[in-house]
Amino acid sequence: AKEVDAMVKNLVKTVDSHKDEWIDALVTPTIHVQRHPSDPYKLHIRALFDGNPDTAFSVMTDIKRRLEWDKTTDEAYVVESYDTQNHVIYTRGKTVWPVSPRDMVLLSTKRRLEDGRLTNVVKSVKHSKVPEGMVSGCVRGEAKTMGTVLSKPSIGFKGFDGSGKVEITSENVESKCVVSQIGHVDPKGNIPGWLVKMVATKFIPKTLESLNEKIKVTPKVEKWSAPSPAVPSEEELAEENLNVAELKSNLQRLQNILRTLALKTKRLERVQYLTMIVLILFILFKAKK
């Protein structure tokens, strides 16, 4: 618990104390990507989404929907759940030749902060179910403490570039949100500078735009709460019972087949034994003659 609390505190502090020495990689009315001046693998990403914070957060943190909007990811699933807000997740990303793909095992925690903002923080961990090297040719990367903080935008906001192409007013503020994300990874190997730049200027914007499209078509979530463990429906339970019954039937058939084979084997052994005795008696009879 203390480690998770420290993760959240560290992320929020980094987002809130963001300084201007970060270098702009991309600035548009709705997306702002910056890189740390001394670490090319540490990014600060901000985006304006067309949905309230709770709706956006419900889409972003649903690991089952990740592949619907994140085209840079090949695989993503929950490895183990400790409770409804804390999980170990596995992700495997796509890459560009000749760079090897990266996978990660992450401790993920989701919370509503005291000031009402929503946050999802992740950090690399080890887990026996997803050992390093489990996917051939994939390099196990390391995520430093990183994650997202979602909040309402300020009235009067005119875009990250200040162009006024987007503007937050009292009429639309409730249907918008700002996400601030810190991405900090150790790829465990050299990544070409051109690919690092491509991630910041092309892959990230496309992923954010795809995510925003999903948010826009998702029914409004008034107040996000950590989902309870899924309870199967009556139809799912009936289907499961049917599958179990079918499995039992197949096992019974297999047992019957094995039993029949065993009986036939025993009979065959008896025939072979009797044949051997007859052959020995025949040889003895010939020898006496």
Side-chain angles (χ1 to χ4, degrees), residues 74-142:
D74 255 339
E75 192 174 14
Y77 59 86
V78 174
V79 177
E80 183 176 0
S81 295
Y82 299 117
D83 53 42
T84 57
Q85 292 177 277
N86 300 284
H87 317 272
V88 173
I89 62 175
Y90 172 82
T91 65
R92 178 166 54 85
K94 297 179 182 178
T95 189
V96 177
W97 185 87
V99 179
S100 298
R102 262 61 179 176
D103 66 354
M104 293 187 184
V105 181
L106 306 167
L107 173 62
S108 169
T109 184
K110 294 172 281 190
R111 291 188 181 181
R112 185 180 295 277
L113 302 175
E114 291 182 359
D115 59 13
R117 291 183 294 174
L118 293 161
T119 183
N120 179 206
V121 190
V122 298
K123 184 178 182 179
S124 279
V125 293
K126 293 182 179 180
H127 198 288
S128 59
K129 291 184 179 179
V130 279
E132 185 174 351
M134 59 179 274
V135 178
S136 178
C138 199
V139 177
R140 178 62 52 89
E142 179 186 358

Side-chain angles (χ1 to χ4, degrees), residues 9-232:
K9 186 177 180 180
N10 185 30
L11 175 73
V12 174
K13 181 180 178 181
T14 302
V15 168
D16 290 346
S17 63
H18 179 73
K19 297 180 180 179
D20 292 334
E21 68 260 20
W22 289 57
I23 301 169
D24 288 342
L26 177 74
V27 186
T28 74
T30 58
I31 297 173
H32 190 187
V33 182
Q34 294 179 299
R35 62 178 178 84
H36 195 274
S38 61
D39 189 343
Y41 304 123
K42 187 174 184 179
L43 300 175
H44 187 188
I45 305 155
R46 287 177 287 178
L48 179 69
F49 285 150
D50 296 312
N52 68 335
D54 295 77
T55 303
F57 194 71
S58 69
V59 176
M60 292 179 68
T61 60
D62 187 348
I63 195 73
K64 294 179 180 178
R65 297 188 64 184
R66 179 72 174 269
L67 300 187
E68 293 179 13
W69 53 268
D70 188 352
K71 304 308 178 184
T72 67
T73 297
D74 255 339
E75 192 174 14
Y77 59 86
V78 174
V79 177
E80 183 176 0
S81 295
Y82 299 117
D83 53 42
T84 57
Q85 292 177 277
N86 300 284
H87 317 272
V88 173
I89 62 175
Y90 172 82
T91 65
R92 178 166 54 85
K94 297 179 182 178
T95 189
V96 177
W97 185 87
V99 179
S100 298
R102 262 61 179 176
D103 66 354
M104 293 187 184
V105 181
L106 306 167
L107 173 62
S108 169
T109 184
K110 294 172 281 190
R111 291 188 181 181
R112 185 180 295 277
L113 302 175
E114 291 182 359
D115 59 13
R117 291 183 294 174
L118 293 161
T119 183
N120 179 206
V121 190
V122 298
K123 184 178 182 179
S124 279
V125 293
K126 293 182 179 180
H127 198 288
S128 59
K129 291 184 179 179
V130 279
E132 185 174 351
M134 59 179 274
V135 178
S136 178
C138 199
V139 177
R140 178 62 52 89
E142 179 186 358
K144 311 293 186 179
T145 299
M146 61 183 195
T148 57
V149 177
L150 279 78
S151 59
K152 289 183 180 180
S154 300
I155 294 177
F157 175 76
K158 295 182 181 294
F160 295 109
D161 61 355
S163 65
K165 291 183 178 179
V166 297
E167 183 175 1
I168 301 302
T169 66
S170 57
E171 284 76 25
N172 66 8
V173 67
E174 297 298 328
S175 62
K176 305 286 185 179
C177 76
V178 171
V179 56
S180 295
Q181 182 177 56
I182 299 296
H184 190 196
V185 300
D186 179 353
K188 298 299 181 181
N190 293 324
I191 304 295
W194 60 265
L195 182 54
V196 175
K197 183 178 180 180
M198 185 180 292
V199 169
T201 60
K202 295 186 181 297
F203 293 167
I204 289 176
K206 284 185 178 180
T207 299
L208 292 173
E209 290 166 2
S210 179
L211 172 58
N212 191 39
E213 291 302 312
K214 286 295 178 184
I215 292 170
K216 287 195 290 187
V217 298
T218 298
K220 183 178 180 181
V221 176
E222 295 292 345
K223 186 173 182 179
W224 174 87
S225 60
S228 300
V231 178

